[in-house]
Amino acid sequence: MTGGPTGALVTGGGRGLGARIAELLAARGHVVHVTDLDGDAARATADRIGGSAYSSALDVRDAEACEAAARTTAERAGRLAVWVNNAGVLVTGPAWTNTAEQRQLMLDVNVGGVMNGTVAAIGQMRDHGGGHVVNIASLAGLVAVPGETVYSGTKHAVMGFSLSTQADLRRAKVRDVRISCICPDGIWTPMLHDRLDDPEAALSFTGRLLAVDEVAAAVDRVLDRPRQVTAVPRWRGTQVRLLDAMPGLAVRALPLVVLQGRRTQRRLQRKGLPARLREPR
Ligand SMILES: NC(=O)c1ccc[n+]([C@@H]2O[C@H](COP(=O)([O-])OP(=O)(O)OC[C@H]3O[C@@H](n4cnc5c(N)ncnc54)[C@H](O)[C@@H]3O)[C@@H](O)[C@H]2O)c1
């Protein structure tokens, strides 16, 4: 490890959780490269952070662009220490109600993007001081989520890919590149903001909606102590894993859980959001 600041890149950093993670990376002393499909949003996040933070437009579906971003981040800061694969898209509904384009979009961004980012980051980290790849999956990567079906499939793919890649790194005796997956419950970001009225998204509202700060705190913890899988909150991870082990029971219980989610959606619409979530970011 060299002394002094090191480079960190976040994808989808223009808004929501990604913007909050960019702030966290800057607070941890990194030279932060904020990237997003929406270059203007990425620039706004970098401007808000100030200091050495900078931005560029990056479409995570473009493998060559991810390689180039990893290279320039390493060059600018001396080396690349952290890469956070955060960009993601959600289209709700049973798979047969999604168009082929919608299914492909979720696969390309949520799975292809994480693969492109992880491989690009490993290319720079390996043999250059190591580093940490943080992949933002979801509780939907640990259990079936009807109504967010294709999305859930993509997040399961992120888990399988990340855990397998970490094992491949061990087999290749690369011990200084770590991969951590974060699996949050529903977070109050623009992704859920427009879904209060969407019955297909009810399962995102069955737990207590998380503030971006709570998920950023989990990222902060894994950056200090890498962990392959971190559910946020942790007890929800245990709960959904138990359900996943009993798929028959889970399918029978689901209508009740969906009803609970719909009740929460209606309550939030009626009464408004709790103060800690009032500003979607
Ligand atoms: N909001 C939730 O309830 C929730 C729960 C669990 C996990 N997650 C995951 O957290 C991550 C962040 O979600 P969010 O809620 O902040 O979403 P968001 O929709 O608020 O923000 C996503 C960002 O990704 C960017 N993006 C979309 N396609 C891209 C592409 N091809 N290349 C680069 N950037 C692209 C968007 O421009 C946007 O800035 C996602 O991976 C999401 O799946 C969200």
Side-chain angles (χ1 to χ4, degrees), residues 96-107:
W96 63 83
T97 66
N98 297 153
T99 63
E101 289 75 21
Q102 289 170 330
R103 296 196 298 271
Q104 196 62 49
L105 174 71
M106 284 186 271
L107 277 169

Side-chain angles (χ1 to χ4, degrees), residues 83-119:
W83 180 294
V84 183
N85 286 305
N86 163 82
V89 289
L90 165 67
V91 182
T92 59
W96 63 83
T97 66
N98 297 153
T99 63
E101 289 75 21
Q102 289 170 330
R103 296 196 298 271
Q104 196 62 49
L105 174 71
M106 284 186 271
L107 277 169
D108 288 347
V109 177
N110 300 359
V111 186
V114 170
M115 291 181 178
N116 290 338
T118 304
V119 170

Side-chain angles (χ1 to χ4, degrees), residues 112-258:
V114 170
M115 291 181 178
N116 290 338
T118 304
V119 170
I122 290 172
Q124 286 302 319
M125 292 170 177
R126 193 179 176 167
D127 304 324
H128 296 94
H132 200 154
V133 177
V134 179
N135 290 337
I136 306 299
S138 169
L139 274 192
L142 300 176
V143 69
V145 184
E148 296 181 6
T149 307
V150 175
Y151 177 82
S152 172
T154 65
K155 295 297 185 177
H156 275 74
V158 168
M159 300 303 296
F161 167 75
S162 305
L163 297 174
S164 304
T165 303
Q166 182 73 80
D168 283 340
L169 285 166
R170 276 189 81 82
R171 281 196 312 151
K173 302 203 180 346
V174 178
R175 298 196 186 274
D176 56 1
V177 177
R178 304 300 299 264
I179 302 180
S180 297
C181 290
I182 305 285
C183 301
D185 203 350
I187 319 164
W188 189 241
T189 66
M191 186 179 268
L192 286 193
H193 183 238
D194 301 329
R195 301 197 190 274
L196 282 178
D197 208 18
D198 178 358
E200 298 294 351
L203 284 176
S204 282
F205 292 84
T206 51
R208 183 182 67 91
L209 276 185
L210 298 165
V212 285
D213 288 351
E214 296 172 82
V215 185
V219 174
D220 199 21
R221 283 193 297 275
V222 300
L223 287 172
D224 287 334
R225 281 185 91 193
R227 274 171 66 94
Q228 293 200 76
V229 183
T230 299
V232 190
R234 206 173 274 187
W235 71 269
R236 283 281 280 165
T238 310
Q239 186 192 48
V240 301
R241 280 194 190 96
L242 275 174
L243 269 180
D244 204 36
M246 296 176 280
L249 176 67
V251 166
R252 282 197 298 279
L254 268 170
L256 280 177
V257 187
V258 169

